[in-house]
Amino acid sequence: SSGCPTQPHVAFVAFPFGTHAAPLFALARAVASAAPGTAVTFLSTARSLASLPRAEGLGNIRLVPVADGRPEGAAEVPPPGGIEELIGMFLAATPGNLREALGAAAAGAGGIPVGCVVSDAFMWMAGDVAEAAGAPWVVLWTGGPAGLAAHLHTDLLRDAIGVGERAMTRFKEQLHSIPVLSAHRVCDLPEGIVFGPLDAPVSCLVHRMAQSLPKAAAVLHNTFEGLDPAIDAHFSATFSRSLPVGPLHLLAPLAHPTPDPNHCLPWLDRHAPATVAYVSFGSFMAPPPAEMTELAEGLEASGAAFLLSLRDEVMGLLPPGFSERTKGRGLVVSWAPQLDILRHAAVGAIVMHCGWNSVVEAITAGVPMVCRPFFGDQRLNARFIFQVWEIGVEFEGGVMTKEGVVRALEAVLKGEEGKRMRVKAGELKAMATRAVQPGGSSSVNFNSFLDLV
Ligand code: UDP
């Protein structure tokens, strides 16, 4: 009644595209359950909020919409420029939309002002908004650690390698100038650093992000200590605090089972251990048409059982009669409860785009990976998988061919190579599990983060 609120209020600010919001939401759930006296607000666009797992049972988490920057009455269908255009419109609306949403957050929490802002690392402007409000700023990097290391070295890489055409001529060179990336090559870098659209909204965003992160009170990562000790040390030296707190889906497991409308799990129950290949390219990526055909032909020719999760837009690219011909050993769905699938004993491999959430999920399930990276940090992640951790294979030439798919599935599901990978993946799974147990590194780091907020 004194008008001086004592309850802490933490606001989480998501980057509302791809699978960025989900790990931040897991972090918010972890805070809400560890600190029930804290007001927790989660800010994202209405569309992104709707894609999050069901909110019941989340207690003190409030969801607050952030304006997406699209014109009033814009059609539901994506604009001609696709996701890049949506991202551009959203970014153009910052930081005004964030300031507004933080005001709404305080009002929704009975007038308790936001005392700490935890944002997706991409949302560097949330740092300015937090500073203006006198609140500390903490970030979560939701991608792979190598991707962050690359962005931090953007200026150095541009000087050392050159950009555009010049960089293209040096595609196969190892990145010796950056010790933590010395296992990687120029062509593995995310677009927008030395090649690709350097001036695209997302390229400018991550460049600005890299310059802003050192001023964050802490940088959290959806990974665990020891997965890459050199990068851990590099981040500790670069940031005020560097806190690996993952795997976040283990730190904050969902209270409700994930729906399985396509009956994937009962279908997997009918298969022998480690015999099924699960195929998924994440929430918005799809292989180009010619490669979809090669993948389908490879799955058909391999004779292996497979569960293929494909977005509706690309279902039509499967060859005519594919589903009938592979009936019984193949199941094609438009969405699958991936985490539960990876944990199912029948799954012996994942064919994937190497999006970081999927990589972390596969590691914690001990499932070997067949890598077909497309963009962003995916090529860097893939190289860790097959070269550093030795828990997966790549496709020759980097693209899927019928023969390549047959060979990869043979090696991972049936060969000695696959057995070795499963053993190594099992070791990483054990490390991840230990990290989130009481006294484990991620749980200790999470407690340090709680102290900060
Ligand atoms: N996912 C899922 N079912 C599917 C396909 C994807 O549950 O059929 C989930 C997957 O478990 C992961 C996320 O979607 O958590 C994809 O995230 P990732 O970082 O791998 O890729 P992105 O969607 O950002 O490209």
Side-chain angles (χ1 to χ4, degrees):
S1 64
S2 66
C4 175
T6 50
Q7 191 189 12
H9 183 179
V10 188
F12 289 81
V13 177
F15 179 70
F17 300 97
T19 308
H20 272 254
L24 189 72
F25 193 57
L27 187 66
R29 289 201 307 273
V31 169
S33 89
T38 301
V40 177
T41 309
F42 194 85
L43 285 70
S44 197
T45 58
R47 174 185 278 265
S48 152
L49 291 176
S51 75
L52 296 172
R54 287 189 294 152
E56 304 112 77
L58 294 175
N60 48 336
I61 300 189
R62 282 186 197 82
L63 306 182
V64 169
V66 176
D68 62 11
R70 298 187 69 181
E72 282 295 323
E76 261 308 288
V77 292
I83 189 163
E84 283 88 9
E85 192 174 341
L86 289 173
I87 293 175
M89 290 191 278
F90 172 73
L91 293 177
T94 61
N97 58 351
L98 297 184
R99 254 188 252 119
E100 220 168 273
L102 283 174
I112 307 168
V114 170
C116 179
V117 174
V118 183
S119 81
D120 188 302
F122 274 29
M123 300 296 286
W124 61 266
M125 68 301 282
D128 295 348
V129 174
E131 195 176 4
W137 177 49
V138 175
V139 307
L140 172 68
W141 171 253
T142 65
L148 179 54
H151 292 304
L152 289 171
H153 290 98
T154 297
D155 296 323
L156 199 153
L157 285 163
R158 287 179 182 173
D159 285 348
I161 294 162
V163 298
E165 295 283 305
R166 168 116 188 88
M168 311 279 251
T169 63
R170 305 180 66 176
F171 249 22
K172 298 285 162 206
E173 280 181 34
Q174 300 282 132
L175 295 170
H176 290 304
S177 50
I178 319 279
V180 289
L181 293 177
S182 54
H184 297 86
R185 300 159 304 173
V186 172
C187 59
D188 297 322
L189 289 170
E191 295 78 4
I193 294 184
V194 292
F195 58 85
L198 266 51
D199 297 324
V202 176
S203 310
C204 299
L205 180 75
V206 288
H207 194 195
R208 231 2 236 281
M209 168 198 78
Q211 294 163 341
S212 306
L213 290 187
K215 74 169 195 202
V219 177
L220 278 59
H221 313 265
N222 185 13
T223 178
F224 47 95
E225 280 177 20
L227 192 56
D228 187 87
I231 287 199
D232 289 347
H234 171 62
F235 291 158
S236 294
T238 307
F239 303 128
S240 308
R241 298 290 295 275
S242 179
L243 300 171
V245 292
L248 283 166
H249 66 275
L250 295 184
L251 190 75
L254 284 166
H256 302 279
T258 309
D260 181 19
N262 300 309
H263 313 290
C264 299
L265 295 169
W267 183 86
L268 285 174
D269 287 341
R270 299 203 292 272
H271 290 86
T275 55
V276 177
Y278 168 66
V279 186
S280 159
F281 303 104
S283 63
F284 65 96
M285 192 55 240
E291 234 182 305
M292 276 297 303
T293 308
E294 297 281 338
L295 168 66
E297 289 178 351
L299 288 172
E300 198 174 335
S302 75
F306 63 87
L307 172 48
L308 179 54
S309 168
L310 269 193
R311 295 198 351 271
D312 283 328
E313 304 94 281
V314 286
M315 285 277 188
L317 295 175
L318 290 171
F322 174 75
S323 296
E324 290 74 53
R325 289 196 301 276
T326 55
K327 215 177 181 75
R329 70 175 172 92
L331 180 63
V332 184
V333 300
S334 59
W335 187 258
Q338 180 167 309
L339 201 47
D340 297 330
I341 284 170
L342 288 170
R343 286 170 170 159
H344 195 289
V347 172
I350 173 171
V351 180
M352 59 167 353
H353 69 318
C354 303
W356 187 248
N357 290 295
S358 296
V359 173
V360 173
E361 290 163 4
I363 286 178
T364 55
V367 173
M369 304 165 214
V370 179
C371 306
R372 181 9 180 144
F374 289 92
F375 73 99
D377 63 353
Q378 295 163 6
R379 288 178 295 265
L380 294 170
N381 298 339
R383 228 167 157 75
F384 263 108
I385 291 165
F386 59 76
Q387 189 164 313
V388 181
W389 302 323
E390 298 176 326
I391 54 172
V393 294
E394 63 176 327
F395 288 107
E396 215 182 288
V399 294
M400 295 182 284
T401 59
K402 177 180 173 183
E403 291 70 31
V405 171
V406 171
R407 258 199 310 273
L409 293 184
E410 180 81 27
V412 176
L413 291 175
K414 302 196 184 122
E416 284 306 311
E417 205 183 344
K419 289 204 186 93
R420 280 195 298 274
M421 286 177 200
R422 226 176 310 283
V423 170
K424 290 196 167 159
E427 288 163 6
L428 292 182
K429 171 184 173 178
M431 261 173 94
T433 313
R434 274 197 306 274
V436 293
Q437 277 161 3
S441 58
S442 287
S443 110
V444 168
N445 288 338
F446 177 72
N447 287 331
S448 308
F449 160 63
L450 272 187
D451 290 343
L452 262 175
V453 306

